[in-house]
Amino acid sequence: MTQRLPDSGFLDLVQPFTGKLTEMRAAERGFMSDVLVLIEGAKGRFFVKGVRNRAGGRRDSLIRERLINDIVRPVSPPLRWHAEDDRWLALGFDQVEARSSRFGPGSPDLPAVLDLLVRIGEIPLPDMAADWHETRWDAFASDEAESQLFKGDTLIHGDMAPDNLLVGVEGSWVVDWAWPTRGAAFIDPASLVLQLISAGHTAGAAEDLVSQCPGWSKSDPRGIDAFAEANLRMLRRRAERSPEHAWLRAMEATAQAWVGHRLG
């Protein structure tokens, strides 16, 4: 769980990079880091993520986010520093003046969101990502042939949630590159389709919006069909395992609506 504010050991680790602290407050978004704070210090204003320095997914994710930052800077706030000791691993990004995007029909944020989607697809796959194969949906494909449709040579963000697509007066950004992968070009556009349907768009309208993205328009429709069905199976499994989370049932219904549109 994300701490509201970091402990003194964490602050001792990052203060050489921030300078003397003048302000610190908990960030409103993000749940997968152990520490997530906005810091203002003598050396600047930073968005700081931290995880316990122990083997496992969270540590690996933060390392991957650090490695990919130079590549994704056309759409992402720059990473200014990173720090590590026996207890903590921390990343310090530039703070940006922006808020979570709004996906609903008629939202003035949609042009910026779709522009970000196109720009993500234009980032070349770096050599470091050659072995970062996308596998999150493989187990929910109907067979091996379908899972092969999810493979590709595009850099994938993988989480097109409103909190990760920020819009501001002076620009827009894609944040939380926590698990970039290599996969099919339609994965990020298709993930956005699900989010748009969840926000109130019809499936057809959501697909029309992402159609300006080459990663969608130039992809084999069979791959998108398989991906839509894999998402439905994945969300159904999660909803069955966690019936107390109503949002999972809502997302399952969203995925069902999308599959119905594509196969109907």
Side-chain angles (χ1 to χ4, degrees):
M1 176 176 290
T2 303
Q3 298 178 194
R4 293 300 298 170
L5 294 172
D7 62 24
S8 59
F10 186 89
L11 294 178
D12 288 343
L13 173 66
V14 305
Q15 193 159 349
F17 303 95
T18 65
K20 183 179 179 180
L21 300 185
T22 57
E23 183 180 354
M24 178 172 61
R25 66 185 189 277
E28 295 179 356
R29 58 182 176 78
F31 301 99
M32 296 306 294
S33 299
D34 295 310
V35 169
L36 205 64
V37 289
L38 299 168
I39 287 179
E40 184 168 348
K43 296 185 179 182
R45 300 170 66 244
F46 305 100
F47 173 75
V48 181
K49 302 177 70 168
V51 297
R52 297 287 182 179
N53 196 358
R54 50 181 177 242
R58 289 189 177 186
R59 183 183 188 279
D60 293 346
S61 175
L62 216 65
I63 290 174
R64 192 174 285 199
E65 187 167 5
R66 171 174 64 82
L67 292 173
I68 204 66
N69 184 258
D70 280 346
I71 305 300
V72 301
R73 284 194 183 188
V75 297
S76 175
L79 176 68
R80 294 304 184 188
W81 49 264
H82 60 91
E84 182 176 1
D85 62 14
D86 290 342
R87 295 184 60 232
W88 291 104
L89 185 68
L91 304 181
F93 298 88
D94 274 354
Q95 279 192 43
V96 294
E97 297 296 331
R99 57 166 173 77
S100 300
S101 53
R102 303 181 180 114
F103 285 178
S107 168
D109 298 343
L110 290 175
V113 167
L114 296 170
D115 177 65
L116 286 171
L117 182 67
V118 172
R119 290 165 62 198
I120 293 170
E122 292 172 346
I123 298 173
L125 183 75
D127 291 341
M128 72 179 73
D131 295 325
W132 295 355
H133 296 288
E134 179 54 69
T135 60
R136 280 169 280 193
W137 289 273
D138 288 4
F140 301 97
S142 62
D143 54 35
E144 176 64 22
E146 277 200 354
S147 68
Q148 287 300 311
L149 296 173
F150 307 156
K151 311 305 178 188
D153 296 321
T154 298
L155 181 66
I156 304 300
H157 179 279
D159 187 1
M160 296 286 100
D163 285 349
N164 292 335
L165 302 172
L166 306 184
V167 295
V169 174
E170 297 183 356
S172 302
W173 294 269
V174 184
V175 298
D176 198 13
W177 287 84
W179 207 251
T181 56
R182 171 186 180 179
F186 62 75
I187 289 179
D188 277 341
S191 298
L192 182 58
V193 164
L194 269 177
Q195 292 286 340
L196 292 170
I197 298 170
S198 178
H201 296 264
T202 67
E207 290 193 348
D208 285 344
L209 284 169
V210 304
S211 65
Q212 65 183 267
C213 178
W216 174 275
S217 61
K218 296 182 179 180
S219 290
D220 186 340
R222 295 178 303 162
I224 301 174
D225 290 344
F227 187 75
E229 293 185 273
N231 268 284
L232 176 56
R233 296 185 192 104
M234 179 181 69
L235 289 163
R236 181 174 292 152
R237 174 84 59 84
R238 291 179 178 177
E240 290 170 350
R241 290 182 173 180
S242 302
E244 71 278 12
H245 296 311
W247 69 270
L248 283 171
R249 282 297 180 194
M251 286 305 298
E252 179 191 356
T254 295
Q256 181 66 70
W258 187 29
V259 168
H261 168 75
R262 291 203 63 83
L263 304 184

